Amino acid sequence: MRYLLGWSRTKIASGLLATTMIFMGACSSGEVSSSGESSSSGSNSGKVIRIAIGTQDQVINTAVGGATVRELELLEKHLPTDGKYEGVKYDIQWSSYTSGPPITNKMLADQIDIGLMGDFPATINLIKFQQEAADADTIFIGTLAYSPNGAGNAVVVPKDSDAKTLADLKGGTVSVPFGSAAHGMLLKALADAGLDPETDVELISQAPEVGGSSLRTGQIDAHADFVPFGELFPFRGFARKIFDGAQTGVPTLHGITVRSDFAEEYPEIVVAYLKAVLEANQMFQDDPEGISAQIEEWSGVEKEVVYMFLGPSGLQTLDPTIGEVQVSTLKNSITTLTSLGKIEKPVNPEEVVNWIDESYLLTAMEELGLNYDEVIATAEAYQITGKDALTGEAIEDPKLAAQFWVQGEETVTNFASIANMVKALSALQTEGQAADVMFVHDYNNGWKLFAENAYFVSNGDEVAAFLVEADAQTYASSTGGQMTAFRGLQDLYADRQPVLVGAQQ
């Protein structure tokens, strides 16, 4: 479904449109002369248009709209330079935050024009503007990355913790950024596990960096968070994931909001920004390892974790469109935030449709020669393909595929099966080489997993991986297979020394 001009401009139509010409040079419109004085209405000479964008560099779901666009100067490439923009100068101001709420505050103060944030912060952003701002609203204009099942949110415990399930956290202290999508995920997950969040655990609010420190020092029993920390902390070796948001089946996303006054005065700039996002998506799909390595430089988040989320068969889908999944995500955010007491005045979840306007994205696609349905199809087809690096056989089922990233190599090596990957890894280690990371996929659901943190069931050369230990136990019982950890799998193939036929690109 395409949400064309779904957002209602009733609130500001009578005032803004009537006064646009009067305030064309005012600071609130973002246009000032290079000397700090208002530009004349008859010439663009010396006119400066501010474009202030708030992103979250460490929250790598925003990378295609934030760091990638910023560092590769993709927005500059697409900004208009003719018509009413002929002769203008652009003042592009980037700022990065650890969460969405500061971005909303800056947008309310007219210090940020375009904000990138997760579903819960985006919902609060839209509601705050509707209920508190007198001069503008915000519009939801596109998606950065999303998961239809909630992958990306997660609960982790210290690596040496005895806890294997949420039920094991009873009586413990669990931290989570209050008001985030991870908070909503945690409450649902605890309830599903038979725990009362009010009495069975002590919930405290901690930002990602604080939660990570608390895990390291043993001050908390578990930490729940959003992308990428549920994978980043285990990758860094001090935490272990015991619950993935995908187990809730509740979708999550990161998206783009823009101030309505900015979008109405400068629609061509909003379109230019979305062109930059579309190009960033394409660049990532063309070279996921290369862009992941660059994002590591820009954000400090290791390339392997970036690739896990945004690479082929990753945890998140790079699809800029706004479909039913995205609408459902935002509606769920309203419902959950209301139950958490984060929305003071009642809001009908159906209001979401009135905040969405996909017309800017459609124009961006049209001007780039892209087809809307093909963009969606490309995102859905962004899976592991090609040939097995060990046997040369075709990789037909991405859910059964496995990968490793050899230290010092620029690309990931792909395999049609976990068994082939482990055999190749054994040979690699015999040669004195090592892999920085090994990826497998949950046998039941296809979720991408770090191999060292997964549960396995082996039947000869048939190996299945699972996120949840109970799922592995069930599969082992039904097939007569043997449950093992990844180290156990390696031992099974330790004496085999196959030769790789060539890495698959």
Side-chain angles (χ1 to χ4, degrees), residues 404 419-433 489-498 500:
F404 60 53
N420 285 353
M421 184 267 283
V422 178
K423 293 174 188 178
L425 184 63
S426 178
L428 191 72
Q429 293 171 338
T430 300
E431 297 170 358
Q433 295 181 277
L489 274 185
Q490 290 180 285
D491 291 340
L492 290 175
Y493 299 101
D495 58 346
R496 309 186 190 187
Q497 298 187 23
L500 274 68

mmCIF file with all atom_site columns, all heavy atoms in Angstrom, residues 404 419-433 489-498 500:
data_model
loop_
_atom_site.group_PDB
_atom_site.id
_atom_site.type_symbol
_atom_site.label_atom_id
_atom_site.label_alt_id
_atom_site.label_comp_id
_atom_site.label_asym_id
_atom_site.label_entity_id
_atom_site.label_seq_id
_atom_site.pdbx_PDB_ins_code
_atom_site.Cartn_x
_atom_site.Cartn_y
_atom_site.Cartn_z
_atom_site.occupancy
_atom_site.B_iso_or_equiv
_atom_site.pdbx_formal_charge
_atom_site.auth_seq_id
_atom_site.auth_comp_id
_atom_site.auth_asym_id
_atom_site.auth_atom_id
_atom_site.pdbx_PDB_model_num
ATOM 1   N N   . PHE A 1 404 ? 31.809 -17.505 7.005  1.00 0.00 ? 404 PHE A N   1
ATOM 2   C CA  . PHE A 1 404 ? 32.803 -16.960 7.927  1.00 0.00 ? 404 PHE A CA  1
ATOM 3   C C   . PHE A 1 404 ? 33.557 -15.830 7.256  1.00 0.00 ? 404 PHE A C   1
ATOM 4   O O   . PHE A 1 404 ? 33.585 -15.711 6.030  1.00 0.00 ? 404 PHE A O   1
ATOM 5   C CB  . PHE A 1 404 ? 33.741 -18.033 8.515  1.00 0.00 ? 404 PHE A CB  1
ATOM 6   C CG  . PHE A 1 404 ? 34.574 -18.837 7.539  1.00 0.00 ? 404 PHE A CG  1
ATOM 7   C CD1 . PHE A 1 404 ? 35.391 -18.249 6.568  1.00 0.00 ? 404 PHE A CD1 1
ATOM 8   C CD2 . PHE A 1 404 ? 34.587 -20.231 7.626  1.00 0.00 ? 404 PHE A CD2 1
ATOM 9   C CE1 . PHE A 1 404 ? 36.183 -19.010 5.723  1.00 0.00 ? 404 PHE A CE1 1
ATOM 10  C CE2 . PHE A 1 404 ? 35.370 -21.003 6.778  1.00 0.00 ? 404 PHE A CE2 1
ATOM 11  C CZ  . PHE A 1 404 ? 36.167 -20.384 5.820  1.00 0.00 ? 404 PHE A CZ  1
ATOM 12  N N   . ALA A 1 419 ? 27.859 -27.748 7.885  1.00 0.00 ? 419 ALA A N   1
ATOM 13  C CA  . ALA A 1 419 ? 28.914 -28.761 7.874  1.00 0.00 ? 419 ALA A CA  1
ATOM 14  C C   . ALA A 1 419 ? 30.068 -28.344 6.968  1.00 0.00 ? 419 ALA A C   1
ATOM 15  O O   . ALA A 1 419 ? 31.241 -28.485 7.337  1.00 0.00 ? 419 ALA A O   1
ATOM 16  C CB  . ALA A 1 419 ? 28.337 -30.102 7.420  1.00 0.00 ? 419 ALA A CB  1
ATOM 17  N N   . ASN A 1 420 ? 29.750 -27.825 5.786  1.00 0.00 ? 420 ASN A N   1
ATOM 18  C CA  . ASN A 1 420 ? 30.804 -27.395 4.874  1.00 0.00 ? 420 ASN A CA  1
ATOM 19  C C   . ASN A 1 420 ? 31.602 -26.243 5.465  1.00 0.00 ? 420 ASN A C   1
ATOM 20  O O   . ASN A 1 420 ? 32.833 -26.173 5.307  1.00 0.00 ? 420 ASN A O   1
ATOM 21  C CB  . ASN A 1 420 ? 30.205 -26.988 3.532  1.00 0.00 ? 420 ASN A CB  1
ATOM 22  C CG  . ASN A 1 420 ? 29.775 -28.178 2.702  1.00 0.00 ? 420 ASN A CG  1
ATOM 23  O OD1 . ASN A 1 420 ? 30.028 -29.322 3.066  1.00 0.00 ? 420 ASN A OD1 1
ATOM 24  N ND2 . ASN A 1 420 ? 29.091 -27.915 1.592  1.00 0.00 ? 420 ASN A ND2 1
ATOM 25  N N   . MET A 1 421 ? 30.922 -25.327 6.135  1.00 0.00 ? 421 MET A N   1
ATOM 26  C CA  . MET A 1 421 ? 31.624 -24.208 6.751  1.00 0.00 ? 421 MET A CA  1
ATOM 27  C C   . MET A 1 421 ? 32.591 -24.696 7.833  1.00 0.00 ? 421 MET A C   1
ATOM 28  O O   . MET A 1 421 ? 33.728 -24.233 7.924  1.00 0.00 ? 421 MET A O   1
ATOM 29  C CB  . MET A 1 421 ? 30.623 -23.214 7.331  1.00 0.00 ? 421 MET A CB  1
ATOM 30  C CG  . MET A 1 421 ? 31.268 -21.960 7.924  1.00 0.00 ? 421 MET A CG  1
ATOM 31  S SD  . MET A 1 421 ? 31.589 -22.085 9.705  1.00 0.00 ? 421 MET A SD  1
ATOM 32  C CE  . MET A 1 421 ? 29.944 -21.827 10.361 1.00 0.00 ? 421 MET A CE  1
ATOM 33  N N   . VAL A 1 422 ? 32.138 -25.643 8.673  1.00 0.00 ? 422 VAL A N   1
ATOM 34  C CA  . VAL A 1 422 ? 32.989 -26.132 9.760  1.00 0.00 ? 422 VAL A CA  1
ATOM 35  C C   . VAL A 1 422 ? 34.185 -26.905 9.209  1.00 0.00 ? 422 VAL A C   1
ATOM 36  O O   . VAL A 1 422 ? 35.302 -26.789 9.712  1.00 0.00 ? 422 VAL A O   1
ATOM 37  C CB  . VAL A 1 422 ? 32.174 -27.010 10.729 1.00 0.00 ? 422 VAL A CB  1
ATOM 38  C CG1 . VAL A 1 422 ? 33.065 -27.561 11.826 1.00 0.00 ? 422 VAL A CG1 1
ATOM 39  C CG2 . VAL A 1 422 ? 31.047 -26.187 11.351 1.00 0.00 ? 422 VAL A CG2 1
ATOM 40  N N   . LYS A 1 423 ? 33.978 -27.689 8.153  1.00 0.00 ? 423 LYS A N   1
ATOM 41  C CA  . LYS A 1 423 ? 35.091 -28.392 7.514  1.00 0.00 ? 423 LYS A CA  1
ATOM 42  C C   . LYS A 1 423 ? 36.127 -27.400 6.982  1.00 0.00 ? 423 LYS A C   1
ATOM 43  O O   . LYS A 1 423 ? 37.335 -27.571 7.166  1.00 0.00 ? 423 LYS A O   1
ATOM 44  C CB  . LYS A 1 423 ? 34.575 -29.256 6.359  1.00 0.00 ? 423 LYS A CB  1
ATOM 45  C CG  . LYS A 1 423 ? 33.706 -30.429 6.766  1.00 0.00 ? 423 LYS A CG  1
ATOM 46  C CD  . LYS A 1 423 ? 33.148 -31.112 5.527  1.00 0.00 ? 423 LYS A CD  1
ATOM 47  C CE  . LYS A 1 423 ? 32.124 -32.174 5.880  1.00 0.00 ? 423 LYS A CE  1
ATOM 48  N NZ  . LYS A 1 423 ? 31.531 -32.806 4.670  1.00 0.00 ? 423 LYS A NZ  1
ATOM 49  N N   . ALA A 1 424 ? 35.627 -26.370 6.306  1.00 0.00 ? 424 ALA A N   1
ATOM 50  C CA  . ALA A 1 424 ? 36.528 -25.369 5.747  1.00 0.00 ? 424 ALA A CA  1
ATOM 51  C C   . ALA A 1 424 ? 37.254 -24.608 6.856  1.00 0.00 ? 424 ALA A C   1
ATOM 52  O O   . ALA A 1 424 ? 38.435 -24.254 6.716  1.00 0.00 ? 424 ALA A O   1
ATOM 53  C CB  . ALA A 1 424 ? 35.750 -24.399 4.866  1.00 0.00 ? 424 ALA A CB  1
ATOM 54  N N   . LEU A 1 425 ? 36.556 -24.352 7.950  1.00 0.00 ? 425 LEU A N   1
ATOM 55  C CA  . LEU A 1 425 ? 37.172 -23.653 9.078  1.00 0.00 ? 425 LEU A CA  1
ATOM 56  C C   . LEU A 1 425 ? 38.298 -24.485 9.669  1.00 0.00 ? 425 LEU A C   1
ATOM 57  O O   . LEU A 1 425 ? 39.354 -23.953 10.047 1.00 0.00 ? 425 LEU A O   1
ATOM 58  C CB  . LEU A 1 425 ? 36.118 -23.355 10.137 1.00 0.00 ? 425 LEU A CB  1
ATOM 59  C CG  . LEU A 1 425 ? 36.567 -22.548 11.358 1.00 0.00 ? 425 LEU A CG  1
ATOM 60  C CD1 . LEU A 1 425 ? 37.030 -21.163 10.939 1.00 0.00 ? 425 LEU A CD1 1
ATOM 61  C CD2 . LEU A 1 425 ? 35.428 -22.435 12.370 1.00 0.00 ? 425 LEU A CD2 1
ATOM 62  N N   . SER A 1 426 ? 38.102 -25.801 9.742  1.00 0.00 ? 426 SER A N   1
ATOM 63  C CA  . SER A 1 426 ? 39.142 -26.698 10.247 1.00 0.00 ? 426 SER A CA  1
ATOM 64  C C   . SER A 1 426 ? 40.390 -26.617 9.384  1.00 0.00 ? 426 SER A C   1
ATOM 65  O O   . SER A 1 426 ? 41.517 -26.536 9.894  1.00 0.00 ? 426 SER A O   1
ATOM 66  C CB  . SER A 1 426 ? 38.610 -28.132 10.297 1.00 0.00 ? 426 SER A CB  1
ATOM 67  O OG  . SER A 1 426 ? 39.609 -29.023 10.735 1.00 0.00 ? 426 SER A OG  1
ATOM 68  N N   . ALA A 1 427 ? 40.196 -26.630 8.066  1.00 0.00 ? 427 ALA A N   1
ATOM 69  C CA  . ALA A 1 427 ? 41.325 -26.518 7.144  1.00 0.00 ? 427 ALA A CA  1
ATOM 70  C C   . ALA A 1 427 ? 42.009 -25.163 7.279  1.00 0.00 ? 427 ALA A C   1
ATOM 71  O O   . ALA A 1 427 ? 43.242 -25.058 7.234  1.00 0.00 ? 427 ALA A O   1
ATOM 72  C CB  . ALA A 1 427 ? 40.842 -26.731 5.715  1.00 0.00 ? 427 ALA A CB  1
ATOM 73  N N   . LEU A 1 428 ? 41.205 -24.147 7.451  1.00 0.00 ? 428 LEU A N   1
ATOM 74  C CA  . LEU A 1 428 ? 41.736 -22.788 7.600  1.00 0.00 ? 428 LEU A CA  1
ATOM 75  C C   . LEU A 1 428 ? 42.646 -22.702 8.822  1.00 0.00 ? 428 LEU A C   1
ATOM 76  O O   . LEU A 1 428 ? 43.748 -22.137 8.765  1.00 0.00 ? 428 LEU A O   1
ATOM 77  C CB  . LEU A 1 428 ? 40.566 -21.811 7.729  1.00 0.00 ? 428 LEU A CB  1
ATOM 78  C CG  . LEU A 1 428 ? 40.857 -20.318 7.633  1.00 0.00 ? 428 LEU A CG  1
ATOM 79  C CD1 . LEU A 1 428 ? 41.190 -19.927 6.206  1.00 0.00 ? 428 LEU A CD1 1
ATOM 80  C CD2 . LEU A 1 428 ? 39.642 -19.518 8.120  1.00 0.00 ? 428 LEU A CD2 1
ATOM 81  N N   . GLN A 1 429 ? 42.195 -23.267 9.916  1.00 0.00 ? 429 GLN A N   1
ATOM 82  C CA  . GLN A 1 429 ? 42.963 -23.217 11.156 1.00 0.00 ? 429 GLN A CA  1
ATOM 83  C C   . GLN A 1 429 ? 44.231 -24.048 11.055 1.00 0.00 ? 429 GLN A C   1
ATOM 84  O O   . GLN A 1 429 ? 45.267 -23.695 11.634 1.00 0.00 ? 429 GLN A O   1
ATOM 85  C CB  . GLN A 1 429 ? 42.083 -23.691 12.317 1.00 0.00 ? 429 GLN A CB  1
ATOM 86  C CG  . GLN A 1 429 ? 40.936 -22.744 12.615 1.00 0.00 ? 429 GLN A CG  1
ATOM 87  C CD  . GLN A 1 429 ? 39.927 -23.297 13.604 1.00 0.00 ? 429 GLN A CD  1
ATOM 88  O OE1 . GLN A 1 429 ? 39.819 -24.512 13.783 1.00 0.00 ? 429 GLN A OE1 1
ATOM 89  N NE2 . GLN A 1 429 ? 39.171 -22.411 14.250 1.00 0.00 ? 429 GLN A NE2 1
ATOM 90  N N   . THR A 1 430 ? 44.174 -25.145 10.315 1.00 0.00 ? 430 THR A N   1
ATOM 91  C CA  . THR A 1 430 ? 45.367 -25.972 10.099 1.00 0.00 ? 430 THR A CA  1
ATOM 92  C C   . THR A 1 430 ? 46.439 -25.179 9.369  1.00 0.00 ? 430 THR A C   1
ATOM 93  O O   . THR A 1 430 ? 47.638 -25.372 9.592  1.00 0.00 ? 430 THR A O   1
ATOM 94  C CB  . THR A 1 430 ? 45.008 -27.241 9.286  1.00 0.00 ? 430 THR A CB  1
ATOM 95  O OG1 . THR A 1 430 ? 44.044 -27.998 10.014 1.00 0.00 ? 430 THR A OG1 1
ATOM 96  C CG2 . THR A 1 430 ? 46.242 -28.088 9.031  1.00 0.00 ? 430 THR A CG2 1
ATOM 97  N N   . GLU A 1 431 ? 46.005 -24.279 8.510  1.00 0.00 ? 431 GLU A N   1
ATOM 98  C CA  . GLU A 1 431 ? 46.936 -23.438 7.755  1.00 0.00 ? 431 GLU A CA  1
ATOM 99  C C   . GLU A 1 431 ? 47.414 -22.231 8.552  1.00 0.00 ? 431 GLU A C   1
ATOM 100 O O   . GLU A 1 431 ? 48.145 -21.385 8.050  1.00 0.00 ? 431 GLU A O   1
ATOM 101 C CB  . GLU A 1 431 ? 46.258 -22.961 6.469  1.00 0.00 ? 431 GLU A CB  1
ATOM 102 C CG  . GLU A 1 431 ? 45.893 -24.096 5.516  1.00 0.00 ? 431 GLU A CG  1
ATOM 103 C CD  . GLU A 1 431 ? 45.013 -23.624 4.374  1.00 0.00 ? 431 GLU A CD  1
ATOM 104 O OE1 . GLU A 1 431 ? 44.663 -22.422 4.354  1.00 0.00 ? 431 GLU A OE1 1
ATOM 105 O OE2 . GLU A 1 431 ? 44.651 -24.453 3.519  1.00 0.00 ? 431 GLU A OE2 1
ATOM 106 N N   . GLY A 1 432 ? 46.976 -22.145 9.811  1.00 0.00 ? 432 GLY A N   1
ATOM 107 C CA  . GLY A 1 432 ? 47.415 -21.043 10.660 1.00 0.00 ? 432 GLY A CA  1
ATOM 108 C C   . GLY A 1 432 ? 46.619 -19.772 10.496 1.00 0.00 ? 432 GLY A C   1
ATOM 109 O O   . GLY A 1 432 ? 47.014 -18.715 10.978 1.00 0.00 ? 432 GLY A O   1
ATOM 110 N N   . GLN A 1 433 ? 45.464 -19.861 9.843  1.00 0.00 ? 433 GLN A N   1
ATOM 111 C CA  . GLN A 1 433 ? 44.588 -18.702 9.674  1.00 0.00 ? 433 GLN A CA  1
ATOM 112 C C   . GLN A 1 433 ? 43.420 -18.794 10.639 1.00 0.00 ? 433 GLN A C   1
ATOM 113 O O   . GLN A 1 433 ? 43.177 -19.831 11.266 1.00 0.00 ? 433 GLN A O   1
ATOM 114 C CB  . GLN A 1 433 ? 44.073 -18.614 8.240  1.00 0.00 ? 433 GLN A CB  1
ATOM 115 C CG  . GLN A 1 433 ? 45.155 -18.354 7.201  1.00 0.00 ? 433 GLN A CG  1
ATOM 116 C CD  . GLN A 1 433 ? 44.572 -18.262 5.807  1.00 0.00 ? 433 GLN A CD  1
ATOM 117 O OE1 . GLN A 1 433 ? 44.332 -19.277 5.143  1.00 0.00 ? 433 GLN A OE1 1
ATOM 118 N NE2 . GLN A 1 433 ? 44.311 -17.038 5.360  1.00 0.00 ? 433 GLN A NE2 1
ATOM 119 N N   . LEU A 1 489 ? 31.039 -29.143 17.379 1.00 0.00 ? 489 LEU A N   1
ATOM 120 C CA  . LEU A 1 489 ? 31.013 -29.350 15.933 1.00 0.00 ? 489 LEU A CA  1
ATOM 121 C C   . LEU A 1 489 ? 32.416 -29.316 15.354 1.00 0.00 ? 489 LEU A C   1
ATOM 122 O O   . LEU A 1 489 ? 32.780 -30.132 14.498 1.00 0.00 ? 489 LEU A O   1
ATOM 123 C CB  . LEU A 1 489 ? 30.180 -28.253 15.262 1.00 0.00 ? 489 LEU A CB  1
ATOM 124 C CG  . LEU A 1 489 ? 28.670 -28.410 15.144 1.00 0.00 ? 489 LEU A CG  1
ATOM 125 C CD1 . LEU A 1 489 ? 28.098 -27.257 14.346 1.00 0.00 ? 489 LEU A CD1 1
ATOM 126 C CD2 . LEU A 1 489 ? 28.289 -29.740 14.528 1.00 0.00 ? 489 LEU A CD2 1
ATOM 127 N N   . GLN A 1 490 ? 33.209 -28.379 15.814 1.00 0.00 ? 490 GLN A N   1
ATOM 128 C CA  . GLN A 1 490 ? 34.577 -28.271 15.310 1.00 0.00 ? 490 GLN A CA  1
ATOM 129 C C   . GLN A 1 490 ? 35.364 -29.540 15.609 1.00 0.00 ? 490 GLN A C   1
ATOM 130 O O   . GLN A 1 490 ? 36.165 -30.000 14.789 1.00 0.00 ? 490 GLN A O   1
ATOM 131 C CB  . GLN A 1 490 ? 35.267 -27.050 15.921 1.00 0.00 ? 490 GLN A CB  1
ATOM 132 C CG  . GLN A 1 490 ? 34.717 -25.719 15.416 1.00 0.00 ? 490 GLN A CG  1
ATOM 133 C CD  . GLN A 1 490 ? 35.430 -24.542 16.041 1.00 0.00 ? 490 GLN A CD  1
ATOM 134 O OE1 . GLN A 1 490 ? 35.213 -24.204 17.191 1.00 0.00 ? 490 GLN A OE1 1
ATOM 135 N NE2 . GLN A 1 490 ? 36.316 -23.940 15.268 1.00 0.00 ? 490 GLN A NE2 1
ATOM 136 N N   . ASP A 1 491 ? 35.154 -30.114 16.783 1.00 0.00 ? 491 ASP A N   1
ATOM 137 C CA  . ASP A 1 491 ? 35.854 -31.345 17.138 1.00 0.00 ? 491 ASP A CA  1
ATOM 138 C C   . ASP A 1 491 ? 35.482 -32.487 16.199 1.00 0.00 ? 491 ASP A C   1
ATOM 139 O O   . ASP A 1 491 ? 36.314 -33.341 15.869 1.00 0.00 ? 491 ASP A O   1
ATOM 140 C CB  . ASP A 1 491 ? 35.525 -31.740 18.582 1.00 0.00 ? 491 ASP A CB  1
ATOM 141 C CG  . ASP A 1 491 ? 36.122 -30.782 19.596 1.00 0.00 ? 491 ASP A CG  1
ATOM 142 O OD1 . ASP A 1 491 ? 37.073 -30.055 19.235 1.00 0.00 ? 491 ASP A OD1 1
ATOM 143 O OD2 . ASP A 1 491 ? 35.631 -30.748 20.746 1.00 0.00 ? 491 ASP A OD2 1
ATOM 144 N N   . LEU A 1 492 ? 34.226 -32.507 15.741 1.00 0.00 ? 492 LEU A N   1
ATOM 145 C CA  . LEU A 1 492 ? 33.782 -33.559 14.837 1.00 0.00 ? 492 LEU A CA  1
ATOM 146 C C   . LEU A 1 492 ? 34.535 -33.528 13.505 1.00 0.00 ? 492 LEU A C   1
ATOM 147 O O   . LEU A 1 492 ? 34.731 -34.558 12.857 1.00 0.00 ? 492 LEU A O   1
ATOM 148 C CB  . LEU A 1 492 ? 32.278 -33.420 14.556 1.00 0.00 ? 492 LEU A CB  1
ATOM 149 C CG  . LEU A 1 492 ? 31.324 -33.743 15.706 1.00 0.00 ? 492 LEU A CG  1
ATOM 150 C CD1 . LEU A 1 492 ? 29.889 -33.441 15.300 1.00 0.00 ? 492 LEU A CD1 1
ATOM 151 C CD2 . LEU A 1 492 ? 31.467 -35.194 16.139 1.00 0.00 ? 492 LEU A CD2 1
ATOM 152 N N   . TYR A 1 493 ? 34.956 -32.324 13.097 1.00 0.00 ? 493 TYR A N   1
ATOM 153 C CA  . TYR A 1 493 ? 35.608 -32.181 11.801 1.00 0.00 ? 493 TYR A CA  1
ATOM 154 C C   . TYR A 1 493 ? 37.088 -31.832 11.921 1.00 0.00 ? 493 TYR A C   1
ATOM 155 O O   . TYR A 1 493 ? 37.723 -31.449 10.944 1.00 0.00 ? 493 TYR A O   1
ATOM 156 C CB  . TYR A 1 493 ? 34.898 -31.098 10.981 1.00 0.00 ? 493 TYR A CB  1
ATOM 157 C CG  . TYR A 1 493 ? 33.460 -31.414 10.693 1.00 0.00 ? 493 TYR A CG  1
ATOM 158 C CD1 . TYR A 1 493 ? 32.433 -30.835 11.425 1.00 0.00 ? 493 TYR A CD1 1
ATOM 159 C CD2 . TYR A 1 493 ? 33.120 -32.325 9.693  1.00 0.00 ? 493 TYR A CD2 1
ATOM 160 C CE1 . TYR A 1 493 ? 31.104 -31.142 11.175 1.00 0.00 ? 493 TYR A CE1 1
ATOM 161 C CE2 . TYR A 1 493 ? 31.799 -32.637 9.435  1.00 0.00 ? 493 TYR A CE2 1
ATOM 162 C CZ  . TYR A 1 493 ? 30.799 -32.045 10.180 1.00 0.00 ? 493 TYR A CZ  1
ATOM 163 O OH  . TYR A 1 493 ? 29.496 -32.359 9.934  1.00 0.00 ? 493 TYR A OH  1
ATOM 164 N N   . ALA A 1 494 ? 37.659 -31.995 13.117 1.00 0.00 ? 494 ALA A N   1
ATOM 165 C CA  . ALA A 1 494 ? 39.034 -31.564 13.361 1.00 0.00 ? 494 ALA A CA  1
ATOM 166 C C   . ALA A 1 494 ? 40.051 -32.300 12.498 1.00 0.00 ? 494 ALA A C   1
ATOM 167 O O   . ALA A 1 494 ? 41.085 -31.748 12.119 1.00 0.00 ? 494 ALA A O   1
ATOM 168 C CB  . ALA A 1 494 ? 39.386 -31.744 14.835 1.00 0.00 ? 494 ALA A CB  1
ATOM 169 N N   . ASP A 1 495 ? 39.766 -33.574 12.150 1.00 0.00 ? 495 ASP A N   1
ATOM 170 C CA  . ASP A 1 495 ? 40.742 -34.351 11.397 1.00 0.00 ? 495 ASP A CA  1
ATOM 171 C C   . ASP A 1 495 ? 40.495 -34.323 9.893  1.00 0.00 ? 495 ASP A C   1
ATOM 172 O O   . ASP A 1 495 ? 41.146 -35.032 9.131  1.00 0.00 ? 495 ASP A O   1
ATOM 173 C CB  . ASP A 1 495 ? 40.745 -35.805 11.876 1.00 0.00 ? 495 ASP A CB  1
ATOM 174 C CG  . ASP A 1 495 ? 39.374 -36.465 11.746 1.00 0.00 ? 495 ASP A CG  1
ATOM 175 O OD1 . ASP A 1 495 ? 38.400 -35.722 11.539 1.00 0.00 ? 495 ASP A OD1 1
ATOM 176 O OD2 . ASP A 1 495 ? 39.309 -37.699 11.852 1.00 0.00 ? 495 ASP A OD2 1
ATOM 177 N N   . ARG A 1 496 ? 39.552 -33.512 9.454  1.00 0.00 ? 496 ARG A N   1
ATOM 178 C CA  . ARG A 1 496 ? 39.260 -33.416 8.026  1.00 0.00 ? 496 ARG A CA  1
ATOM 179 C C   . ARG A 1 496 ? 39.910 -32.160 7.467  1.00 0.00 ? 496 ARG A C   1
ATOM 180 O O   . ARG A 1 496 ? 39.787 -31.082 8.039  1.00 0.00 ? 496 ARG A O   1
ATOM 181 C CB  . ARG A 1 496 ? 37.747 -33.379 7.780  1.00 0.00 ? 496 ARG A CB  1
ATOM 182 C CG  . ARG A 1 496 ? 37.006 -34.518 8.486  1.00 0.00 ? 496 ARG A CG  1
ATOM 183 C CD  . ARG A 1 496 ? 35.541 -34.528 8.106  1.00 0.00 ? 496 ARG A CD  1
ATOM 184 N NE  . ARG A 1 496 ? 34.781 -35.444 8.951  1.00 0.00 ? 496 ARG A NE  1
ATOM 185 C CZ  . ARG A 1 496 ? 33.515 -35.744 8.766  1.00 0.00 ? 496 ARG A CZ  1
ATOM 186 N NH1 . ARG A 1 496 ? 32.844 -35.201 7.760  1.00 0.00 ? 496 ARG A NH1 1
ATOM 187 N NH2 . ARG A 1 496 ? 32.892 -36.581 9.573  1.00 0.00 ? 496 ARG A NH2 1
ATOM 188 N N   . GLN A 1 497 ? 40.578 -32.279 6.357  1.00 0.00 ? 497 GLN A N   1
ATOM 189 C CA  . GLN A 1 497 ? 41.290 -31.143 5.785  1.00 0.00 ? 497 GLN A CA  1
ATOM 190 C C   . GLN A 1 497 ? 40.907 -30.953 4.319  1.00 0.00 ? 497 GLN A C   1
ATOM 191 O O   . GLN A 1 497 ? 41.676 -31.281 3.415  1.00 0.00 ? 497 GLN A O   1
ATOM 192 C CB  . GLN A 1 497 ? 42.803 -31.334 5.926  1.00 0.00 ? 497 GLN A CB  1
ATOM 193 C CG  . GLN A 1 497 ? 43.267 -31.423 7.377  1.00 0.00 ? 497 GLN A CG  1
ATOM 194 C CD  . GLN A 1 497 ? 44.765 -31.453 7.496  1.00 0.00 ? 497 GLN A CD  1
ATOM 195 O OE1 . GLN A 1 497 ? 45.489 -30.996 6.604  1.00 0.00 ? 497 GLN A OE1 1
ATOM 196 N NE2 . GLN A 1 497 ? 45.260 -31.982 8.604  1.00 0.00 ? 497 GLN A NE2 1
ATOM 197 N N   . PRO A 1 498 ? 39.725 -30.449 4.055  1.00 0.00 ? 498 PRO A N   1
ATOM 198 C CA  . PRO A 1 498 ? 39.280 -30.220 2.676  1.00 0.00 ? 498 PRO A CA  1
ATOM 199 C C   . PRO A 1 498 ? 39.986 -29.008 2.065  1.00 0.00 ? 498 PRO A C   1
ATOM 200 O O   . PRO A 1 498 ? 40.620 -28.225 2.764  1.00 0.00 ? 498 PRO A O   1
ATOM 201 C CB  . PRO A 1 498 ? 37.790 -29.951 2.843  1.00 0.00 ? 498 PRO A CB  1
ATOM 202 C CG  . PRO A 1 498 ? 37.695 -29.323 4.192  1.00 0.00 ? 498 PRO A CG  1
ATOM 203 C CD  . PRO A 1 498 ? 38.735 -30.018 5.030  1.00 0.00 ? 498 PRO A CD  1
ATOM 204 N N   . LEU A 1 500 ? 39.363 -25.587 -0.167 1.00 0.00 ? 500 LEU A N   1
ATOM 205 C CA  . LEU A 1 500 ? 38.331 -24.676 -0.648 1.00 0.00 ? 500 LEU A CA  1
ATOM 206 C C   . LEU A 1 500 ? 38.479 -24.492 -2.160 1.00 0.00 ? 500 LEU A C   1
ATOM 207 O O   . LEU A 1 500 ? 39.584 -24.327 -2.671 1.00 0.00 ? 500 LEU A O   1
ATOM 208 C CB  . LEU A 1 500 ? 38.424 -23.310 0.039  1.00 0.00 ? 500 LEU A CB  1
ATOM 209 C CG  . LEU A 1 500 ? 37.699 -23.178 1.373  1.00 0.00 ? 500 LEU A CG  1
ATOM 210 C CD1 . LEU A 1 500 ? 38.376 -24.045 2.430  1.00 0.00 ? 500 LEU A CD1 1
ATOM 211 C CD2 . LEU A 1 500 ? 37.677 -21.730 1.828  1.00 0.00 ? 500 LEU A CD2 1
#
